Amino acid sequence: MGDAEQAIIKVAQGLGAVDPAAWDACANPVGEPFNPFVSHAFLSALEDSGSATRRTGWAPYHLLLEDGCGGLAGAMPMYLKSHSRGEYVFDHGWADAYQRAGGNYYPKLQVSVPFTPATGPRLLTPSGPGREAAEDQLLAGAIEVARRMGVSSIHWTFLPERQWKRLGAQDCLQRTDQQFHWHNRGYKTFDDFLADLSSRKRKMIRKERERAVENGVEIEWVTGADLTEDHWDAFYAFYMDTGSRKWGSPYLTREFFSLINERMPEDTLLVMAKRAGRYVAGALNFIGGDVLFGRNWGAIEHHPFLHFECCYYQAIDFAIARGLSRVEAGAQGEHKLARGYLPSKTYSAHWIANAAFREAVAEYLERERIYVDRDVEALGEYSPFRHDLAPDADAHMQEDDF
């Protein structure tokens, strides 16, 4: 696969075989906003902890693009999947239809960050004039791998809009959905943000914040060298409680949290709630170059509005303090809208081997994109911001999630 004098496509069945610095030079090029989820540290922690492995249905098949000198010119975090769990872009209906027609939908190839519904690059290439050519080579390589393996499909999920358009131009099917993101309009304090809201919403949020801590609850931000195994022990208990109630089998192992603590503590934020000397709830966030990504939440005590306080309001406070431009609070949740998180589209692209099935999915996606556009527009009418502001989320540009 590829011209030996120019570039070669290889498959790495694990990030342990890939030099971290070479991977990160493609995943997070100098001068571009840092995305923690495509870093070698995060992805290798998923593998090394046993969270994303062949046993769990996430067999690593990472695509590597090597230049003529053997250097890494591009990469793609790819997995051979035996199910559709932990993806947050739902294709269970596609799988059922394909299998009712006599085909085998699984295995399929998934280009994503396991268990992480956060937008980020999927075709990882250094910046510069050769970027688009490298992306084309990665796409062609992925399709060639899929054909040789005989899989049904490839799915690139939570793409940046630019890569989504590029894959669409290369004849991949395009899909959209929505999340709710908070946008920093140059606020210096949380009260500055509240001042942009309608009076009713401003009063509601202030009341919720008061109620969240009225039972003696204290909130802490823990990041960097202050993170300890005791913090992760407490948070893992919260995570297990939430996961076991929602779907019975939490995705992340306890070791995963220790590994990210070793490998990327400065990129990790725990918002922890303490009452009577012990931790009772917490929210896990990852810190990007200009975005705070909310990921997991859990609690062992119920306190009114504590979920909103830890996951949404504290995230806004932290983003303002750090000068971050956005908070992405994970999948689902129209309740976020009233709390200042506006609807924002998300993007995925899909390659399907079977021509007849591809045509049927294409027709479905055309209708779905129209629905998503209308839904985003309709939800925008319920913006909590004052009417004279009318902020446009696009102008600034789930499961265990918040």
Side-chain angles (χ1 to χ4, degrees), residues 47 108 116 196 223 233 263 270 293-294 313 325 334 358:
E47 294 178 18
K108 65 176 185 177
T116 307
D196 275 355
T223 188
D233 284 340
R263 299 174 185 181
L270 280 179
F293 297 95
Y313 303 142
S325 66
E334 292 185 5
R358 171 193 166 82

Side-chain angles (χ1 to χ4, degrees), residues 200-235:
R200 186 168 63 88
K201 295 300 185 185
R202 187 162 56 243
K203 292 176 181 177
M204 179 199 77
I205 289 175
R206 283 178 173 152
K207 186 63 176 178
E208 288 182 351
R209 299 202 77 177
E210 291 171 1
R211 290 285 310 280
V213 297
E214 67 183 1
N215 292 323
V217 174
E218 300 175 342
I219 307 294
E220 300 176 1
W221 293 348
V222 193
T223 188
D226 293 332
L227 286 164
T228 68
E229 288 299 307
D230 287 343
H231 291 114
W232 292 114
D233 284 340
F235 180 77

Side-chain angles (χ1 to χ4, degrees), residues 192-206 337-340 382-391:
D192 289 345
F193 157 62
L194 289 181
D196 275 355
L197 303 183
S198 68
S199 175
R200 186 168 63 88
K201 295 300 185 185
R202 187 162 56 243
K203 292 176 181 177
M204 179 199 77
I205 289 175
R206 283 178 173 152
L337 180 61
R339 291 155 184 92
Y382 295 92
S383 166
F385 290 85
R386 300 195 324 259
H387 291 305
D388 58 309
L389 292 176

Side-chain angles (χ1 to χ4, degrees), residues 82 84 100 145-146 164 189 193 205 240 249 260 282 351 379 385 392:
S82 58
S84 291
R100 283 199 305 270
V145 168
W164 177 74
T189 66
F193 157 62
I205 289 175
M240 290 295 289
S249 181
I260 61 170
W351 176 87
L379 286 169
F385 290 85
D392 179 0

